[in-house]
Amino acid sequence: MTQPQQAMQLKEEDIRGHYEAAFHTLSALSHRPQFASADDEPQTSRGGFSRRRFRNTIPGMSPVTQSAASSQAGLANTIASVTPDDPLPTEVQSHIIRVLRRGLAVANTLIDTFGDQTPLNSLKRENTQGHLGDLQRKEFGELLNASGLVGLFTFASYLQYVLSDYLTEADNLSITLPDPEEIVLDNPIDALNGALWELDRFIDDHADSDEALVKVVRDYATRLIDALHIRRHGMPGLEPFLSATYRVEADTFTVDGFEVSQRGRATQLVMSFKKPEEVIGNHIAKYQALKLAKMLMAYDFTQKKNPFVDLGGFIFTFMGDGKPGTGKTTLIQMLAGLLNDYCEVAGYTFRYENLSTDNVDSFQGKSGQNAKQFIRNVTDPNIIGFGTIDDIDQVAGKRGDRQSSAGQQEITAVLMESFAGASTVVRGNCTFGMFSNYPEQVDDALRQRAGARFLIDGPQSREDYIDILNLLLGKNHDIPLGDHELYANQAIQGAVQRSFEAHNRPTAPALADVFDRMLTGPASHVTIASLGGYLKAIQEVDERFTGRAIKNITDAVKLRAMDFELPDDWMEHPDQFLHRDYDTKLSMLSELMTPITPEMVIQEINRYADSEFRYAGASDEAEITERVRQIKWQLEAERRLRQGE
């Protein structure tokens, strides 16, 4: 896949021009901490060792430099001291030092470029001569802060990118770093020096092997990126950086605003893919999954956006719920298989990731880190991504539930922020599916962040059961089929039409009463006012039916307006659609749109509200059952107490 044409190349000679200064910074860093503790007393690490050590291990360092390093910070020496029984740096340690040197050089090159693209460099010259006015001093300070943030983010992003697939056995270590504190954004020099100073301390406190060294550096970069994502909001002067894309060709490293560049480990997706005809029943869910797969393929890698996001109705998150054995795993396998095949034809990179109970860790902060990495991997703007959280009721904790672990609560917080938080950006290159047999046990606010609902109820009709029996039996038999047209009931358009018509009237009794009271007569008499009144009446019955529910319903209606099938030729021959420019794609899709009808709106309100009432009813019933059980325990305890007396 080609990179965006407007990417600005950071020249290799400019990067190498910063090597010498970067090496001196790593060898002898002078930094006065502003936020973190400067206490240099030995600290005990997780491995039980305690040290502040600086030895003459770096060739070319003079005794004077050694003395300076010992009283300040010599990050290169600290790295070489990870294995004290060897007077020379190991291959891993040398690699880390080189990565840090190049990361500093890349960051400083981008800082220089940022200064050229903004008035910063000219303001520096004016400031040296003492010619800055009040307004210029304000702009100068803002651009210095912005360049500090830009440089620090570039440095951390480079470390994470280059080390993402290096010495992967380091991932097996359980090391939990504290959040970075020494984040100094006054200017680029202090910003980078503060990060190196803190990294030096983390390595000294937590790394007792080469694997631990890699783990610490990689995790520190990840935590620093998370912290910088928070700091960037509201900071002036960042517009030139956000509007450009920078590229380091030798490392295939890209800086595209504050998106984290992902190398992606060279692992082949291992999954038993399913064809659409192998999904029996689940008509609406299958239909929406088929549409979603083609929607994702409309993503434009140059503009970094999807025309379906602009047109409305793109499914960024969805909830798939149903009883055990109704086909959730089969649906995942179908959607992943379609995307994998489409991406192979188009020449795009496809990435599938699942967040499972294995990612819930007992170490504080680790579960949240795992969830953030999962989100980053799937949202990488240079790939087509599909992320799933299977059995989300076990992975993410329900707030206020004392049975939820701290790790589950961390994952809930990350998913809520990532799916509909202040910094959430929906580009249209990825989708997330949350699956559960017990959706009522999922936190209400997290569940409502699912923009679409896939009811996975499995085979329903007699024809469905005949089809699935025939499919699973295979061909090693001579049992006659009988009076049945095989798979005719699975014809997607007819089945979907019947499924949507089933929502002309809600099924939940409490909701049906509201419907009968608020909406009477033919759909042609329906108005925006009557629909709004219906929604308000639902909210009066269930206070959890909030504005977010209305947004999810309108998104589903807009999706219905896209009720057209992208031609298979567009997927099989990329030049017809996939490789067209963004404006052409947008125009081609706009011509296929259908108008929104009152029937669509009523059906989607009923479909969404039915699911919420179903979840709420199951949740209330579970709560009642639990309280009855507790009362029985209490009564039995009182009975035994009386007998004992």
Side-chain angles (χ1 to χ4, degrees):
M1 182 184 64
T2 57
Q3 289 296 321
Q5 294 180 356
Q6 71 269 31
M8 180 181 300
Q9 298 292 332
L10 298 183
K11 297 180 180 178
E12 188 65 24
E13 56 265 31
D14 293 339
I15 295 173
R16 291 181 177 273
H18 286 283
Y19 271 11
E20 183 176 357
F23 174 73
H24 285 303
T25 300
L26 293 173
S27 302
L29 169 67
S30 178
H31 175 74
R32 183 184 297 275
Q34 298 186 25
F35 304 108
S37 170
D39 182 15
D40 273 337
E41 290 299 316
Q43 301 182 39
T44 302
S45 78
R46 59 169 192 88
F49 58 90
S50 187
R51 53 179 164 79
R52 288 297 301 176
R53 10 170 238 225
F54 298 94
R55 299 185 292 105
N56 186 9
T57 57
I58 305 302
M61 287 184 64
S62 66
V64 174
T65 307
Q66 289 290 328
S67 175
S70 65
S71 61
Q72 302 165 351
L75 182 53
N77 265 331
T78 303
I79 292 171
S81 300
V82 166
T83 51
D85 56 335
D86 190 344
L88 293 176
T90 66
E91 181 179 347
V92 171
Q93 293 161 12
S94 296
H95 179 71
I96 294 298
I97 293 171
R98 288 180 176 276
V99 168
L100 289 169
R101 181 184 68 170
R102 186 163 175 84
L104 286 173
V106 169
N108 279 303
T109 303
L110 204 149
I111 289 168
D112 293 343
T113 304
F114 178 80
D116 292 335
Q117 292 175 324
T118 63
L120 179 58
N121 286 345
S122 62
L123 289 172
K124 284 181 181 178
R125 291 190 290 270
E126 293 289 326
N127 183 60
T128 302
Q129 300 170 9
H131 295 163
L132 292 182
D134 291 341
L135 290 178
Q136 287 180 311
R137 277 196 293 271
K138 181 176 182 296
E139 182 183 17
F140 182 44
E142 291 176 349
L143 289 175
L144 273 180
N145 294 344
S147 64
L149 180 61
V150 165
L152 197 51
F153 175 81
T154 302
F155 175 64
S157 184
Y158 180 86
L159 294 183
Q160 187 189 69
Y161 176 81
V162 172
L163 296 176
S164 63
D165 57 355
Y166 179 71
L167 205 64
T168 56
E169 53 266 36
D171 290 337
N172 298 325
L173 298 178
S174 295
I175 299 176
T176 303
L177 300 181
D179 289 330
E181 295 180 338
E182 192 62 10
I183 301 177
V184 185
L185 301 179
D186 296 341
N187 59 71
I189 295 175
D190 286 348
L192 292 171
N193 285 356
L196 293 173
W197 179 87
E198 193 157 41
L199 179 58
D200 173 85
R201 298 176 65 81
F202 286 168
I203 292 172
D204 192 68
D205 291 340
H206 296 276
D208 58 351
S209 66
D210 284 348
E211 291 79 10
L213 170 64
V214 174
K215 173 77 170 173
V216 168
V217 176
R218 193 158 57 210
D219 285 4
Y220 175 70
T222 299
R223 284 183 171 268
L224 183 56
I225 289 170
D226 291 340
L228 295 176
H229 272 133
I230 298 173
R231 299 293 184 93
R232 71 184 178 92
H233 293 295
M235 178 175 285
L238 291 172
E239 290 77 11
F241 174 71
L242 295 173
S243 61
T245 301
Y246 308 90
R247 174 86 170 165
V248 180
E249 196 61 44
D251 300 309
T252 65
F253 171 65
T254 301
V255 180
D256 184 11
F258 289 97
E259 296 290 344
V260 179
S261 188
Q262 298 283 352
R263 181 187 292 268
R265 294 179 182 173
T267 56
Q268 186 175 2
L269 180 61
V270 178
M271 179 183 286
S272 177
F273 295 138
K274 300 293 184 183
K275 300 296 183 183
E277 57 268 22
E278 295 179 273
V279 180
I280 305 299
N282 298 323
H283 301 300
I284 292 181
K286 180 166 70 172
Y287 176 66
Q288 290 183 310
L290 289 168
K291 291 185 67 175
L292 177 56
K294 291 184 177 181
M295 275 186 174
L296 285 165
M297 296 307 297
Y299 177 69
D300 187 275
F301 285 91
T302 300
Q303 297 287 337
K304 293 289 197 307
K305 57 182 180 178
N306 192 318
F308 277 106
V309 175
D310 285 344
L311 293 171
F314 179 80
I315 302 175
F316 179 55
T317 54
F318 64 91
M319 170 71 78
D321 72 279
K323 296 178 181 178
T326 51
K328 291 183 292 299
T329 301
T330 303
L331 192 74
I332 293 172
Q333 292 169 331
M334 185 198 79
L335 181 52
L338 287 171
L339 289 170
N340 184 71
D341 293 346
Y342 291 159
C343 286
E344 281 188 2
V345 172
Y348 300 158
T349 300
F350 171 59
R351 182 178 297 149
Y352 168 78
E353 297 232 355
N354 181 54
L355 187 70
S356 68
T357 52
D358 292 340
N359 298 108
V360 182
D361 201 288
S362 59
F363 284 88
Q364 184 178 3
K366 180 61 177 175
S367 301
Q369 278 186 288
N370 292 339
K372 289 176 183 177
Q373 190 60 51
F374 163 74
I375 296 293
R376 288 195 195 96
N377 291 344
V378 177
T379 57
D380 179 357
N382 298 307
I383 57 100
I384 299 295
F386 177 31
T388 58
I389 308 102
D390 207 0
D391 293 323
I392 188 171
D393 52 287
Q394 298 182 39
V395 177
K398 197 171 185 178
R399 290 172 300 172
D401 185 356
R402 288 176 294 181
Q403 294 182 345
S404 295
S405 68
Q408 290 173 312
Q409 297 288 348
E410 290 172 13
I411 290 177
T412 298
V414 171
L415 295 181
M416 289 182 61
E417 175 63 26
S418 302
F419 290 165
S423 59
T424 301
V425 177
V426 179
R427 296 183 177 274
N429 69 306
C430 64
T431 187
F432 291 91
M434 298 176 278
F435 295 86
S436 175
N437 296 326
Y438 307 100
E440 70 278 1
Q441 296 182 11
V442 179
D443 185 89
D444 288 342
L446 177 58
R447 190 179 65 239
Q448 289 179 3
R449 278 163 165 74
R453 304 296 171 89
F454 289 11
L455 174 58
I456 304 172
D457 51 4
Q460 295 291 307
S461 66
R462 172 181 178 274
E463 290 77 14
D464 287 344
Y465 275 86
I466 296 173
D467 289 341
I468 195 170
L469 175 62
N470 181 80
L471 177 68
L472 296 178
L473 277 178
K475 299 183 181 299
N476 188 27
H477 67 85
D478 56 1
I479 304 174
L481 177 61
D483 184 17
H484 176 73
E485 186 179 350
L486 201 59
Y487 304 133
N489 201 51
Q490 311 310 320
I492 193 69
Q493 290 297 337
V496 167
Q497 184 63 31
R498 292 191 298 271
S499 296
F500 279 131
E501 289 175 354
H503 294 286
N504 286 335
R505 191 173 185 276
T507 58
L511 184 58
D513 291 342
V514 176
F515 178 84
D516 293 337
R517 177 164 48 89
M518 300 301 300
L519 290 180
T520 58
S524 58
H525 294 170
V526 169
T527 64
I528 295 294
S530 62
L531 290 171
Y534 179 36
L535 291 169
K536 173 58 180 173
I538 296 174
Q539 186 269 335
E540 290 174 350
V541 176
D542 185 355
E543 62 182 9
R544 288 171 288 196
F545 201 78
T546 62
R548 188 179 297 280
I550 313 305
K551 180 184 183 305
N552 292 338
I553 290 169
T554 55
D555 283 345
V557 172
K558 292 175 184 176
L559 178 62
R560 294 281 297 277
M562 308 287 174
D563 198 12
F564 52 80
E565 182 70 16
L566 294 184
D568 289 335
D569 283 350
W570 289 10
M571 301 296 115
E572 296 168 1
H573 305 285
D575 291 341
Q576 292 188 17
F577 176 75
L578 299 180
H579 292 174
R580 296 285 189 94
D581 63 83
Y582 181 82
D583 292 335
T584 301
K585 290 179 182 177
L586 187 63
S587 176
M588 293 171 69
L589 295 174
S590 298
E591 293 176 358
L592 298 175
M593 291 179 63
T594 58
I596 294 173
T597 65
E599 289 85 357
M600 288 183 189
V601 181
I602 291 173
Q603 288 170 359
E604 291 306 323
I605 291 175
N606 291 339
R607 195 160 71 90
Y608 188 93
D610 264 334
S611 69
E612 280 299 303
F613 274 65
R614 186 172 68 252
Y615 299 155
S619 179
D620 291 345
E621 185 61 32
E623 183 69 23
I624 292 170
T625 301
E626 175 62 22
R627 293 195 180 187
V628 168
R629 186 166 60 92
Q630 291 176 355
I631 292 173
K632 287 181 177 179
W633 283 356
Q634 180 66 26
L635 292 175
E636 178 63 18
E638 292 176 356
R639 186 186 67 81
R640 293 185 184 183
L641 183 62
R642 287 194 300 270
Q643 288 180 347
E645 293 176 348

